[in-house]
């Protein structure tokens, strides 16, 4: 019996460590997924540096209550029920939300976003969806560079048009 308690204690410690270390934690209800869909989702998560795990709800609640602060207070009996999986994002805090939202769009009614914590702030389902719709850092940089380049390009085209018009006027 003590061996089972020790194993559960180790899992609770593991979960608490991941909750503290992760920049984002997203909880999803995953009922209805096929093995192929779960494998696909896990591979996309792995590519983005996101860890996707299934833990017992009671162990997650214990780990959440062991963490200082009240950000994980909502990981309770009311919200943490049913078959849940947790996506831990370590590098990019938006990556888990973006991957899960894209998966939900591709596979409707298969998973449901429940809640999450992103950089120390609790997020409900609506906030997670809004977070997922934010463009990636690379996209934002590309848009910024495009915005900066547009006026200069237009100015160059204008100068070129003026030069061609003057050439035509001198030739005629």
């Amino acid at each position: 019996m003590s061996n089972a308690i020790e194993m559960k204690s180790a899992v609770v410690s593991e979960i608490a460590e991941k909750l503290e270390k992760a920049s984002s934690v997203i909880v999803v209800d995953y009922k209805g997924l096929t093995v192929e869909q779960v494998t696909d989702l896990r591979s996309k998560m792995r590519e983005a540096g996101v860890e996707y795990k299934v833990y017992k709800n009671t162990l997650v609640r214990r780990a959440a209550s062991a963490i200082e602060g009240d950000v994980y207070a909502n990981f309770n009996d009311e919200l943490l029920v049913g078959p849940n999986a947790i996506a831990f994002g370590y590098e990019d805090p938006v990556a888990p939300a973006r991957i899960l939202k894209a998966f939900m769009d591709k596979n409707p009614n298969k998973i449901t976003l429940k809640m999450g914590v992103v950089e120390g702030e609790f997020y409900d389902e609506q906030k997670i969806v809004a977070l997922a719709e934010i463009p990636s850092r690379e996209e934002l940089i590309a848009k910024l560079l495009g915005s900066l380049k547009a006026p200069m390009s237009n100015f160059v085209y204008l100068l070129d048009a003026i030069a061609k018009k003057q050439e035509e006027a001198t030739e005629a």
Side-chain angles (χ1 to χ4, degrees):
M1 186 69 178
S2 66
N3 190 24
I5 293 172
E6 288 175 13
M7 287 175 54
K8 287 181 181 180
S9 167
V11 172
V12 168
S13 297
E14 174 188 325
I15 296 167
E17 182 181 316
K18 288 179 182 188
L19 291 174
E20 289 177 333
K21 188 174 133 185
S23 61
S24 64
V25 176
I26 310 277
V27 179
V28 295
D29 182 338
Y30 66 91
K31 62 183 165 204
L33 290 179
T34 65
V35 173
E36 184 180 307
Q37 289 170 327
V38 172
T39 304
D40 180 44
L41 180 59
R42 284 182 190 269
S43 70
K44 289 178 181 169
M45 293 279 193
R46 220 175 297 124
E47 289 171 11
V50 177
E51 190 174 357
Y52 182 79
K53 299 278 274 184
V54 176
Y55 291 109
K56 291 185 132 215
N57 291 335
T58 54
L59 300 179
V60 174
R61 281 188 220 111
R62 284 185 189 157
S65 66
I67 296 174
E68 290 184 31
D70 62 343
V71 72
Y72 288 103
N74 291 314
F75 282 49
N76 54 29
D77 293 338
E78 190 177 313
L79 293 175
L80 204 57
V81 293
N84 294 311
I86 304 174
F88 299 96
Y90 298 107
E91 296 154 18
D92 181 6
V94 182
R98 191 175 295 122
I99 293 167
L100 289 166
K101 174 77 170 71
F103 185 83
M104 286 174 56
D105 292 343
K106 186 178 167 187
N107 302 290
N109 303 321
K110 294 291 184 177
I111 62 172
T112 307
L113 296 171
K114 282 191 160 184
M115 63 184 156
V117 173
V118 179
E119 294 187 338
E121 184 181 335
F122 181 79
Y123 279 56
D124 60 6
E125 180 184 0
Q126 290 80 22
K127 282 186 172 180
I128 294 170
V129 170
L131 178 70
E133 291 172 351
I134 295 173
S136 69
R137 183 176 187 267
E138 291 77 19
E139 289 176 59
L140 291 173
I141 290 172
K143 287 180 181 180
L144 175 67
L145 291 175
S147 297
L148 293 174
K149 180 184 162 210
M152 289 183 255
S153 297
N154 291 340
F155 183 67
V156 169
Y157 291 133
L158 177 68
L159 290 177
D160 186 47
I162 292 171
K164 285 181 182 176
K165 200 173 218 180
Q166 286 180 347
E167 283 179 22
E168 289 174 3
T170 57
E171 288 177 1

